[in-house]
Amino acid sequence: MIGVERRKTNKLMVGEVGVGGDSPISVQSMTNTDTRDIDATVNQIKRLEEVKCDIVRVAVTDMEAAKAIKEIKKRINIPIIADVQFDYRLAIESVKNGVDGLRINPGNIGSNNRVKEVVKACKERGISIRVGVNSGSISKEMLKKYNGVNEDSIVFSCMENIRILEDMDFRDIKISLKASDVILTIKSYKKMAELVDYPFHIGITEAGPVWNGTVKSAVGIGSLLAMGIGDTIRVSLTGDPVEEVKVGKEILRSLNLIKEGPQIVSCPTCARTQIDLIKLVEEAQRKLEKIDKNIKVAIMGCAVNGPGEAKEADIGIAGGKGCGLIFKKGEIIKKVQEEKLLDELISEIEKL
């Protein structure tokens, strides 16, 4: 991991997916369907499974949504977390219906007796709880004590919720401390990392539309992961949840934290480029999504950025005028006309 040791944390399970400890960093998403609409929710989760989402979260807004989890669980293959706000009864009902994890804040679901009922249900079924505080849900006391929204008020507001669970001898906890501000998010997680050894769910909340949110999330999540901080991630985008998973996987891939599927390396093009490299890369990306091989594929515009610069790639293309070279591990294996380049590349990849 680029020379950085990953923070040591406790390990907990969300269904069959480990979070923290020696577990791989997982990628999560959240459905944007009405959870009560079982078919729509299952269909969206199936699409998330296709892009290798590890864990999915659904909003539980009422009893009908909580009960829907039972049927949804029967039809999906990844763990499901119930996101519950304010009503402890929805948390308990979600647990009864087979949810694999809860996302609640103990401080906003009522009295200690109500929290105890939720904790008892989770203990009986071995279910973990994610305690999350973001910049918009800091307690009034902490806002006053630490003079507004900052890493101190976020961290210690979260600690209040953690202590409620610890006082009930519950420690299957993971933590999230999200803000839409990248620097504030990084500072908050760094500070919390000094105080506890619970696993962290990391992300930039309300990151924005797909393009803007991708950049913000890559900077924030990538910075934390490069420090060794982070056990499971969620990229929050205003768009199709499938894009969240794709971005999350690519962030992990860029830091060599996972090796799943083909990775494309391509040059930005310049005046030396004499083939339609942009179109070639776009088409290659679509075709490579269907190939399940952990390989690095280089698609370069000319011989300057060809076999030499891309010699670490398993296979690649170096463009010429109306043609291109296909190479493996930096060694040229054939010359191909431009219109046949992509088909020949895919054919060679399938032989690997």
Side-chain angles (χ1 to χ4, degrees):
M1 182 177 158
I2 59 174
V4 178
E5 184 178 356
R6 188 169 158 195
R7 170 177 166 263
K8 291 180 172 60
T9 69
N10 295 332
K11 180 177 178 177
L12 54 80
M13 300 299 296
V14 180
E16 295 182 359
V17 176
V19 177
D22 59 356
S23 303
I25 296 169
S26 53
V27 176
Q28 304 191 23
S29 185
M30 184 172 183
T31 57
N32 57 19
T33 56
D34 185 334
T35 307
R36 296 170 297 187
D37 187 338
I38 294 172
D39 287 341
T41 301
V42 167
N43 288 339
Q44 190 169 82
I45 294 172
K46 289 290 186 183
R47 291 179 60 236
L48 290 169
E49 289 178 352
E50 288 175 3
V51 291
K52 299 185 178 180
C53 181
D54 298 303
I55 300 169
V56 68
R57 180 161 44 113
V58 300
V60 175
T61 55
D62 59 21
M63 280 295 173
E64 186 181 350
K67 293 179 187 297
I69 289 172
K70 186 173 184 178
E71 181 61 27
I72 292 169
K73 278 274 294 180
K74 292 177 183 177
R75 294 162 59 182
I76 65 173
N77 302 298
I78 57 176
I80 186 169
I81 292 174
D83 190 302
V84 178
Q85 301 290 336
F86 307 115
D87 192 337
Y88 79 106
R89 294 167 297 183
L90 298 181
I92 293 171
E93 190 65 28
S94 297
V95 171
K96 287 179 180 177
N97 281 277
V99 80
D100 298 295
L102 286 179
R103 191 279 192 224
I104 63 169
N105 274 344
N108 75 13
I109 61 171
S111 67
N112 271 10
N113 286 336
R114 292 178 174 180
V115 178
K116 281 179 181 177
E117 288 188 49
V118 174
V119 167
K120 182 174 181 289
C122 289
K123 281 184 174 181
E124 287 173 351
R125 292 166 176 82
I127 290 173
S128 63
I129 293 176
R130 172 160 76 94
V131 175
V133 172
N134 61 37
S135 53
S137 62
I138 302 168
S139 70
K140 292 179 181 178
E141 292 78 11
M142 293 300 156
L143 285 171
K144 183 177 180 180
K145 182 174 181 179
Y146 294 104
N147 300 313
V149 177
N150 52 53
E151 63 268 31
D152 290 323
S153 58
I154 290 175
V155 166
F156 291 109
S157 186
C158 187
M159 287 298 296
E160 285 184 323
N161 286 279
I162 292 168
R163 289 192 184 102
I164 292 172
L165 296 179
E166 288 179 336
D167 288 346
M168 296 176 185
D169 195 30
F170 187 87
R171 287 178 170 76
D172 282 337
I173 301 167
K174 59 182 180 292
I175 296 170
S176 65
L177 307 165
K178 298 182 180 180
S180 59
D181 182 287
V182 171
I183 299 301
L184 177 57
T185 301
I186 292 171
K187 286 182 176 180
S188 299
Y189 279 110
K190 283 180 67 179
K191 189 174 190 70
M192 182 62 87
E194 297 171 358
L195 302 176
V196 299
D197 55 8
Y198 294 117
F200 286 170
H201 169 122
I202 65 172
I204 306 298
T205 195
E206 299 158 1
V210 174
W211 191 87
N212 310 65
T214 293
V215 174
K216 286 183 71 173
S217 298
V219 172
I221 295 172
S223 296
L224 286 165
L225 292 174
M227 298 174 195
I229 295 173
D231 303 285
T232 185
I233 69 174
R234 190 258 172 122
V235 176
S236 299
L237 302 177
T238 307
D240 187 341
V242 167
E243 295 302 315
E244 297 185 346
V245 179
K246 288 182 177 180
V247 173
K249 293 286 184 180
E250 194 59 36
I251 291 171
L252 294 181
R253 193 179 288 114
S254 70
L255 291 168
N256 296 323
L257 292 170
I258 59 169
K259 296 185 182 297
E260 291 183 2
Q263 179 183 2
I264 294 179
V265 177
S266 60
C267 67
T269 77
C270 68
R272 288 189 295 266
T273 304
Q274 298 184 67
I275 62 171
D276 191 349
L277 187 69
I278 295 173
K279 180 182 178 182
L280 189 64
V281 170
E282 289 173 349
E283 291 179 356
Q285 190 169 28
R286 284 192 292 271
K287 288 180 178 290
L288 289 172
E289 282 181 353
K290 300 174 183 178
I291 293 176
D292 189 19
K293 292 187 178 184
N294 300 331
I295 56 173
K296 183 178 285 188
V297 181
I299 303 179
M300 301 301 193
C302 69
V304 173
N305 287 325
E309 289 196 19
K311 62 186 176 183
E312 292 181 4
D314 297 288
I315 192 167
I317 291 170
K321 188 174 183 179
C323 64
L325 304 173
I326 295 181
F327 55 88
K328 291 181 179 178
K329 297 291 187 182
E331 297 294 326
I332 297 169
I333 61 169
K334 64 172 72 173
K335 184 177 181 180
V336 181
Q337 291 300 305
E338 180 176 353
E339 62 271 17
K340 297 180 180 178
L341 257 178
L342 186 55
D343 288 340
E344 287 292 327
L345 175 65
I346 299 299
S347 176
E348 291 296 331
I349 287 172
E350 288 172 346
K351 295 176 186 177
L352 293 176

